[in-house]
Amino acid sequence: MKKTTIALLAALSLSSSLSLADYPTKDIQGIIQWGAGGSTDTVMRSIAPHVEKELGGDIILTNKTGGVGAIATKYVNAKKADGYTLLMGAENPQMYKILGLSDIDYSDMIAINVLARGTPIIVANNDAPFNTMQELIEYTKAHPGEVKFGSTGPGGLTSIVTAMIDSQVKLDYTSIPYNGDGPALTALQGGAIDVMPAVLGATIEQIKAGRMKAISIVDIEANKLLPNLAPITDALPGMKSYLPWGPFFGVFVKKGTPDEAVEKLQAAFQKAAYNKDFVDLMQKRGFTIMNISGDEADYFLEAYRSTSSWLVHDAGFSKFSPEDFGIRKP
Amino acid sequence: MDAFNYFAMSWLSPELLGLTALGTFLGIYVGAIPGLSVTMAVSILISFTFSWDVNYALCLMVGVYMGGVYGGSRTAILLNIPGAPSAIATALDGYPLAKKGLAGEAIGLSTIMSVVGGFVGIIVLAIAAPTVSEFAITFQPRDYMMLGILGIMLVGSLSGSSLARGIFAGALGLLIGTVGLDPMTAEERFTFGVVELWDGINPVAVMIGMFGISEALHQLHHMNKAVIKQKISRIIPKWSDIKKYMPLSLQTSFIGVIVGALPGTGGDIAALMAYDHAKRITKNPKVPFGEGAKEGLIAPESANNAAVGGAYIPMLTLGIPGDAVTAVFIGALFIHGLNPGPLLLVEQPHMFWFTVGNLTLANIFVLIFGLTGIRLFSKIVECPKGILIPLIFLLSIVGAYAINNAITDIWWMLAFGVFGYFMRLYNFPVGPVILGVILSSLTDENWRRAILSERGNIGDLFISLFHSPLSTVLFSVIVLILFTQSPLWTKWLKRKFFR
Amino acid sequence: MSSQSPMIKTRKPGERIFCFLLVLGSVYLFWQAYNISGFSSLSSPGAFPLAASAAMVLASCVTFLNTLKLPAAKDVSFAYHCFPPVIATIMALILIYSVVLESLGFILTSFAFLFISIQFLYRRSPLITLAITLFALIVVYIIFRLVFQVVLPEGIVPEREILSSIKSLWR
């Protein structure tokens, strides 16, 4: 008993003298905003081992779900700003302020790396009586209230893409909400909904297998994975002002984290995101690698926030005006 | 011939065989510890097996999955704390058996029937996967809604002596299930402005509290009573017993496969529905349900292991997860550079029969590991209460924390533990509460989707129930149960006419 | 919906009050459910909670009325049969445990909780209690913290530092 105590004390004094020298001296906790098996979870779990190799320390990944990621965000910001707690999240916090979900978004944190960006796509059930964006618009106009749009709740990708479309053309459709694009895309295949905007990566395999059809890619140009699919700007040129736009994955730490830790983390994540395995994985799923940090990341995050916030505000489902938080108009 | 080679792959390679065995063994203990879920274990294994060959990683994970679903019954039988929500129904009759000194026999029987269920699931997966998955995705919101209603009707069989108390408990559970940000509109429901409540109250926290803590508190009444000596002479159940219960086990296994294959439901609902089925078709149980009926143990155990094979059906054929664990499996395949989706079996033809073979192997290991160590486990019940009860508290608290690394889950678990104590004291059944929590979002969300699909017109919704054969069948089943066999109705009849 | 079962013939002390509290609680929850979105539409977020809480109100009222009819059980006292001191003590211990868990950390609080409660319930020599406590704590710590990487509340014990220095001794 005594021996172990002494050993522990010795170890303790050793570690405290080390902690000043070089970060990291202990395990880093990575808080994933979304549940096991989701796309954020998958991306983070596939990059973490590469980062561990660069840092020479372990990252313990923990899923902390709830409140569209607000609970994880709050948790990380309640911890010490020592670089030992990372927030591994998706785009959602950028809408927290105007939706009244939280008073912290990514502008109140330090971006370690914005890893990748997804491209939205509009998909439809195989039996749907339209094949292109133009036909979808015409059919919906001709049959008001009949087309069932899948959605994933306010502030999610589907709601922002439909808000973009609504800003261009007034359509009367029935919106059926699901919790998450997984269940919604399943419902689409089963015919419970007709159309829905989703992220390319979640649909690509189904499209290739012919289980659902792609209507349009929500971008200014065609995508490498689906070269024959027309971009939405062909049918709705006015959408150009919002695009390219897409959900993203990023890693963040609390403001006030020592520069030394931030720099080490940024360097480690940057190197890890260049890893061939990771790049392959992301591209196969239709994600565009960003791998940006510092000012570049801040600029990207701000652009995302301002486009999305104003869209959601103009569509009428925000709780507060983006002006209240000094979010400029795009 | 290729199929057979792929099937036998994990049987013939010593490494794969060993990893499957290790996985199954670990799984049984993961499943047995409340709060540690198979989903969590498989997620950790993803990071752990990152650099391995994909087949090695899969063997370990498949073992954990198969073992874990079975393992939940251990603590349910021994301590009345279901290791996972799919073992809730197991606790209802399994724990009374342990209290009678029959823990060994109960575990033995549950092992055999779990393995039977597991095999039924695997066989359906092997021979009918494409058909079942096409069937499963045609389930419309209205069909899920009716499944939910079917489940809620189980309150009748879980109510015990007083139906009004059962309905109260069930409705309370449904209400607990709605707490948090509404996933469809992000409206706050019963959150009282507390951010920690946005994600709702975790069903596992309610479960550990209502079952584990309240039972442990109750045990404090009997501190001076001698511990129950466990009869451990018979572990492997009598052949005549196995034969007698086989039809029930097979029937409930099929319930398990189908409910497991549905993308919106999993083993927990399957087990509860199987329990209800057993209670309805068993006319004269030797021991009443809730007091240690073997039928009440067999049904959920067969069903929840059959649901494993079921959950793989949409995952392997369509890339749609059948439950939370298969969702993580899809992530694992993705990380290992495969493309889980409808084309998986085209691009990776070995995957299907490899998985079937591996599941079969894991199921055999469940049998082996399940039947060993029972004597040792049964001793847990004989452990002096003065030690056992504090340990149950500790395990419950750590388990509740482990669900989502949140102190608030501990608070809820304790609150429901104390409330559950008083509910039991005053003859309120606690089973319906947890039933309600599990079925709440399924019913609520699909009811709303169904009515939205008909643009808010309830008349149209009713007509839509006759649009597809599936909906019509489900609707008829509900009506049939309500008016003929339901304990709700028969109880009322009895009271009216035979009193 | 008369549901007075032949099995419940008497009421325990406190049963009436408990049932009455359930009625009050149900009515409060019904009011809360109404506040979500009123009776606006069948697909509103509040529709299902309203239905569930209405069922609670009804069922709790029926139960309460039934308890009014029942005679009190004989020779049963609340303080002895329903809520004896031992249960109150343990509940209090758990309450304290969960309050201080986050600030003091898992290891210290669990140690104290286990030691006190086992000593209180098992009543053997403190050395035996200490041995059981340590053994249980080590097993739980290894399973949850080390194998399953559940980062238990650290509180005032610098666990991660200790762990990493132990690890560095290994390397």
Side-chain angles (χ1 to χ4, degrees), chain B residues 26 30 33-37 40-41 44 152 160-165 167-168 171-175 178 182 185 187-190 192 213 217-218 220-221 223 291 384-387 389-391 393-395 397-399 401-402 405 407 410-411 414 417-419 421-428 439-441 443-444 447-448 451-452 456 458 492 495 499, chain C residues 1-8 10 12-15 18-19 22-23 26 28-30 32-33 36-37 42-50 52-53 55-57 59-60 62-63 66-67 70 78 80-84 86-87 90-91 94-95 97-99 101-102 106 110 113-114 117-118 121-122 132 136-137 140 143-144 147-153:
Chain B
L26 288 176
V30 170
I33 300 171
L36 288 188
S37 65
M40 200 164 116
I44 292 168
I152 291 170
S161 53
S162 158
L163 188 61
R165 287 166 197 230
I167 290 176
F168 174 82
L172 173 67
L174 291 174
L175 204 70
T178 64
D182 168 31
T185 60
E187 193 88 36
E188 293 185 35
R189 301 197 283 192
F190 307 104
F192 308 100
I213 295 282
L217 286 172
H218 249 269
L220 290 170
H221 278 293
M223 284 304 290
E291 291 169 32
K385 280 185 187 142
I387 300 171
I389 292 174
L391 289 181
F393 285 134
L394 180 73
L395 195 63
I397 289 171
V398 185
Y401 181 79
N405 299 285
I407 301 267
I410 299 183
W411 283 93
L414 292 175
V418 172
F419 187 64
Y421 169 79
F422 283 106
M423 281 180 68
R424 279 165 191 259
L425 185 69
Y426 298 129
N427 291 314
F428 281 84
L439 292 169
S440 182
S441 60
T443 322
D444 174 30
W447 147 254
R448 284 157 62 194
I451 191 111
L452 278 173
I458 196 154
W492 191 76
R495 221 170 278 126
R499 231 175 120 182
Chain C
M1 222 184 343
S2 127
S3 59
Q4 186 186 327
S5 144
M7 286 170 74
I8 308 170
T10 54
K12 288 180 186 153
E15 189 160 346
F18 183 70
C19 290
L22 291 185
V23 175
S26 306
Y28 174 70
L29 288 174
F30 183 79
Q32 285 293 326
I36 296 173
S37 48
L42 284 170
S43 62
S44 70
F48 191 74
L50 262 181
S53 53
M56 280 171 68
V57 172
S60 60
V62 171
T63 315
N66 280 340
T67 56
L70 292 175
F78 184 77
Y80 184 75
H81 290 99
C82 299
F83 200 62
V86 57
I87 292 183
I90 292 291
M91 276 188 191
I94 302 177
L95 187 72
Y97 177 90
S98 57
V99 171
L101 176 62
E102 194 156 29
F106 171 78
S110 304
F113 171 77
L114 272 185
S117 56
I118 293 179
L121 294 171
Y122 192 50
I132 299 171
L137 210 55
V140 166
I143 294 178
F144 281 85
V147 180
F148 284 94
Q149 306 193 328
V150 176
V151 182
L152 298 158

Side-chain angles (χ1 to χ4, degrees), chain A residues 96-218:
Chain A
Y96 286 169
K97 287 184 176 168
I98 61 153
L99 291 178
L101 290 174
S102 167
D103 47 9
I104 305 166
D105 62 21
Y106 289 145
S107 66
D108 305 301
M109 301 182 76
I110 302 172
I112 296 298
N113 199 315
V114 177
L115 296 164
R117 175 176 73 79
T119 306
I121 184 174
I122 297 174
V123 286
N125 180 281
N126 276 340
D127 300 329
F130 38 77
N131 293 309
T132 64
M133 195 61 207
Q134 198 58 46
E135 284 172 31
L136 167 64
I137 294 169
E138 276 156 20
Y139 185 86
T140 316
K141 275 186 177 159
H143 303 83
E146 270 181 36
V147 178
K148 287 179 229 161
F149 263 65
S151 83
T152 53
L157 176 139
T158 56
S159 70
I160 294 173
V161 174
T162 41
M164 284 182 190
I165 298 173
D166 284 346
S167 72
Q168 303 298 315
V169 50
K170 274 279 152 255
L171 295 177
D172 179 13
Y173 53 81
T174 305
S175 176
I176 314 242
Y178 281 81
N179 37 354
D181 56 359
L185 288 168
T186 306
L188 182 88
Q189 291 178 53
I193 52 178
D194 303 311
V195 197
M196 84 170 261
V199 64
L200 177 63
T203 56
I204 184 75
E205 290 297 313
Q206 266 77 17
I207 295 170
K208 277 202 259 172
R211 297 201 59 85
M212 55 178 70
K213 57 187 178 191
I215 298 293
S216 184
I217 189 119
V218 186

Side-chain angles (χ1 to χ4, degrees), chain A residues 14 41 51-52 62 70-71 84 129 157 202 208 211 229 242 270 276 281 324:
Chain A
L14 195 75
D41 181 65
V51 180
E52 284 178 341
T62 306
I71 291 176
Y84 286 101
L157 176 139
K208 277 202 259 172
R211 297 201 59 85
L229 186 63
Y242 306 123
Q270 192 168 31
K276 198 183 159 299
L281 211 108
D324 300 353

Side-chain angles (χ1 to χ4, degrees), chain A residues 36 42 45 62-66 74 101 145 154 174 176-179 186 190 192 205-206 209 211 281 284-285, chain B residues 43 47 50 134 137 140-141 183-185 196 198-199 318 320 334-335 337 339 342 404-405 445 449 452-453 455:
Chain A
T42 315
R45 279 183 200 275
T62 306
N63 298 94
K64 211 169 173 62
T65 57
K74 196 180 157 193
L101 290 174
T174 305
I176 314 242
Y178 281 81
N179 37 354
T186 306
E205 290 297 313
Q206 266 77 17
R211 297 201 59 85
L281 211 108
K284 233 181 350 189
R285 291 303 256 185
Chain B
S43 298
S47 316
F50 184 76
E134 289 302 333
I137 64 162
Q140 301 291 310
M184 298 172 71
T185 60
E196 277 68 23
W198 280 357
D199 202 27
L318 302 175
I320 294 170
F334 172 51
I335 289 176
N339 281 328
N404 204 13
N405 299 285
E445 287 168 20
R449 275 178 208 133
L452 278 173
S453 304
R455 275 165 276 163

Side-chain angles (χ1 to χ4, degrees), chain B residues 127-347:
Chain B
I127 60 180
T131 327
V132 174
S133 57
E134 289 302 333
F135 170 68
I137 64 162
T138 59
F139 267 63
Q140 301 291 310
R142 56 173 184 266
D143 303 320
Y144 277 114
M145 170 190 92
M146 286 193 282
L147 267 186
I149 293 172
L150 262 176
I152 291 170
M153 281 160 53
L154 260 94
V155 165
S157 35
L158 298 179
S159 283
S161 53
S162 158
L163 188 61
R165 287 166 197 230
I167 290 176
F168 174 82
L172 173 67
L174 291 174
L175 204 70
I176 294 169
T178 64
V179 172
L181 287 188
D182 168 31
M184 298 172 71
T185 60
E187 193 88 36
E188 293 185 35
R189 301 197 283 192
F190 307 104
T191 53
F192 308 100
V194 182
V195 181
E196 277 68 23
L197 274 175
W198 280 357
D199 202 27
I201 301 170
N202 194 295
V204 179
V206 183
M207 180 186 87
I208 299 176
M210 282 275 172
F211 280 82
I213 295 282
S214 74
E215 173 65 26
L217 286 172
H218 249 269
Q219 288 292 324
L220 290 170
H221 278 293
H222 314 294
M223 284 304 290
N224 304 325
K225 236 192 239 169
V227 289
I228 310 136
K229 275 271 165 248
Q230 293 291 328
K231 288 172 223 146
I232 45 171
S233 50
R234 175 163 287 283
I235 301 291
I236 297 170
K238 275 178 275 181
W239 178 239
S240 62
D241 261 10
I242 298 180
K243 251 190 353 205
K244 184 177 157 203
Y245 296 126
M246 193 52 81
L248 176 70
S249 172
L250 291 178
Q251 286 165 23
T252 50
S253 297
F254 280 107
I255 296 179
V257 186
I258 299 297
V259 177
L262 293 178
T265 52
D268 45 0
I269 294 178
L272 285 163
M273 291 199 152
Y275 183 83
D276 187 51
H277 176 77
K279 196 162 175 184
R280 264 187 287 109
I281 65 159
T282 313
K283 290 283 174 260
N284 297 305
K286 243 191 239 162
V287 187
F289 277 85
E291 291 169 32
K294 285 180 185 163
E295 290 88 350
L297 178 70
I298 290 161
E301 277 307 295
S302 305
N304 64 21
N305 276 67
V308 173
Y312 267 100
I313 291 174
M315 179 211 144
L316 284 176
T317 52
L318 302 175
I320 294 170
D323 65 357
V325 184
T326 38
V328 181
F329 266 92
I330 288 180
L333 290 178
F334 172 51
I335 289 176
H336 278 282
L338 304 180
N339 281 328
L343 293 179
L344 178 70
L345 298 181
V346 181
E347 289 166 6

